[in-house]
Every structure is written in C-alpha cells, then in structure tokens.
Amino acid sequence: MSLLANTLGSLGATFFAFLAAIGRVAIFAAQTLRHALTPPFYIKEFGQALLSVGYFSLPVVGLTTIFTGGALALQIYAGGARFNAEAVVPQIVAIGMVRELGPVLVGLMIAARVTSSIAAEIATMKVTEQIDALVTLSTHPMKYLTVPRVLAALLVVPLLVGIGDIIGIMGGYLVATKTLGFNEAAYLQNTADFLQASDIISSLIKGSVFGGIAAIMGCYYGMNSGRGAQGVGKATKSSVEAAAVLILAANFILTGIFFSA
C-alpha cells in the first residue's frame, strides 16, 4: 500500500510540476506579447535577429529539405511499385513536403540551430551579469533581448518554410527525372495541379507558429538559466528539447485543425 501511495505521489508531483512549467512559459509568452505592443522598439536588435534566424539558417534548411525530398521520391516510387502506382510520386512528394515535412523539418532545424544559440547567448549574459547591467541602464531585458528575437522568428521562419518546401520539391523532381525516368514537364505540371492554396497557407502558418515556439523557448530558458557554465549548458539543452517537443505537438494540433475534414 505504501509503495502504491509513493508511486501515485511521485506521479502527481511530476504532473503538477509539468503544469507549473506550462504556466510559467505561458506567462512568459504573454509578457513577450505585451512588450512587443508597446514602445520602445529596438530596430537594430530586430535586424540582427532577422539575419541570425533567417539568412544564416538558409544553408542547413536547403540541405535538409533537398535530401529529404529526394529520399521521399525514392521511397514513394519503391512503395508505389508494389501497387503499380509509381505515377503518384510528384503528387505525394508535393503534399508531403508542403503539408508536413517542410514545416516540421525547418522547425526542428531552427530549434537545433536558433533556439540553442538564443538560450546560450542569453544565459551567458545572465551569468556575466550583462542582463543586470541592462536593468541598471533602464533597459527592459525582455524588450531588448526577447521581443526582437521572437518577432524575427515569427516573420522569417514562414519564409524559410516556403523556401524549404520549394527546395524539397525540387529534390524530389531531380531524383524522379534524373534517376526514375519521369518526364520533366509532366512532373512539374502534376505538382502544380495537385497543390492547393490551403496546403501552402497551412504550411506558412505552421512555420510562423514553430518559429515563435523556437524563439520563446530559447529566450525563456536563457532568462531562467542557472549560474555558471553548468547552468548555461543545462539551459541550452532544455531549450532545444522543449522546443522540439512543442513543435511536434503543435504540428499535430495544427494538422488536425487544418485537415480534420
């Protein structure tokens, strides 16, 4: 009986700790939104965040999506051959990349690259008391550090998703036309005919949500990191883990909202 009580108590404590963590993140996100709507605005920090989140993420996004699109074409062709349905490769590559793989892969790459960078940078600033110096200079840390990064991610990640979708489709196109014997014009026509505006819009919305999650997790764990090098490392690791899990959970919810019918 005591073992059962201890087990239930441990599970209950874990569950309430999980709820408390969700509450803290939600409050942090609400505070970020409030600060984003009121001046002052730090344009220089915003511009630097646009470059860091967007432009410098293009190589890893491009490489990830082009190889994924090519592998997807090979897998669909091999699977379709079992049912004499090889011709569906263009359509399935297009819908798979735009609806799911493009947004999710870009979101996870942003979590790996940008979330970790934001968390490590802000945590280091906290350890070296640079955040305290901002307060001394009458500069609100969230306005200066969090808001520019979150806004940049909300705006730029959808663009990265759109670019990743195109590159992924082109990866499938290259494999299908150069290796699997598909006609180039017919492949592109089938891709264009099959995709709908709702597929593209849902992909871009997912990108914005995933970008916001990645940036908020990096800022939250950076702001709440422990002291010392160990604290910086733990904040960086926890931010990436939380961002990746939340991105996958958000993808499930958004897919259900957009395509449940």
Side-chain angles (χ1 to χ4, degrees):
M1 188 66 180
S2 60
L3 178 61
L4 177 61
N6 290 336
T7 302
L8 292 176
S10 178
L11 291 175
T14 302
F15 178 71
F16 284 118
F18 175 71
L19 292 180
I22 292 177
R24 289 192 294 269
V25 172
I27 292 172
F28 185 86
Q31 291 175 339
T32 301
L33 177 61
R34 178 171 62 86
H35 287 299
L37 298 176
T38 57
F41 305 106
Y42 296 95
I43 304 300
K44 182 180 178 181
E45 290 295 315
F46 177 67
Q48 291 175 346
L50 287 176
L51 288 175
S52 176
V53 176
Y55 180 75
F56 294 122
S57 297
L58 280 173
V60 67
V61 167
L63 289 172
T64 300
T65 52
I66 194 170
F67 287 127
T68 301
L72 187 61
L74 290 173
Q75 289 283 14
I76 294 168
Y77 185 85
R82 301 178 184 178
F83 310 99
N84 295 320
E86 301 94 329
V88 300
V89 169
Q91 294 91 330
I92 303 303
V93 167
I95 198 170
M97 285 302 305
V98 173
R99 283 190 177 187
E100 287 297 317
L101 290 176
V104 171
L105 287 174
V106 172
L108 293 177
M109 289 300 102
I110 293 299
R113 183 187 178 280
V114 176
T115 303
S116 58
S117 174
I118 292 174
E121 181 181 356
I122 296 179
T124 302
M125 293 180 69
K126 182 177 180 180
V127 169
T128 57
E129 299 182 350
Q130 294 181 55
I131 293 180
D132 295 334
L134 288 175
V135 176
T136 303
L137 296 172
S138 299
T139 301
H140 199 289
M142 290 193 70
K143 280 187 173 294
Y144 188 79
L145 299 174
T146 302
V147 171
R149 289 164 171 80
V150 173
L151 290 180
L154 288 172
L155 293 175
V156 171
V157 175
L159 297 178
L160 291 175
V161 169
I163 294 170
D165 291 344
I166 294 171
I167 294 175
I169 291 173
M170 291 307 297
Y173 164 83
L174 291 174
V175 170
T177 56
K178 305 302 181 184
T179 304
L180 304 178
F182 280 76
N183 179 269
E184 297 179 359
Y187 189 101
L188 293 176
Q189 189 62 49
N190 287 332
T191 298
D193 291 342
F194 193 72
L195 282 177
Q196 298 178 352
S198 60
D199 299 327
I200 299 171
I201 292 172
S202 68
S203 182
L204 298 180
I205 292 175
K206 283 185 176 183
S208 184
V209 173
F210 297 165
I213 289 173
I216 287 174
M217 288 299 99
C219 294
Y220 172 79
Y221 280 97
M223 289 285 193
N224 294 279
S225 69
R227 296 291 181 177
Q230 186 176 5
V232 174
K234 184 177 180 180
T236 304
K237 179 189 71 174
S238 299
S239 67
V240 175
E241 292 173 348
V245 171
L246 288 177
I247 285 171
L248 294 175
N251 178 65
F252 173 76
I253 294 170
L254 292 173
T255 299
I257 293 173
F258 290 130
F259 306 112
S260 59

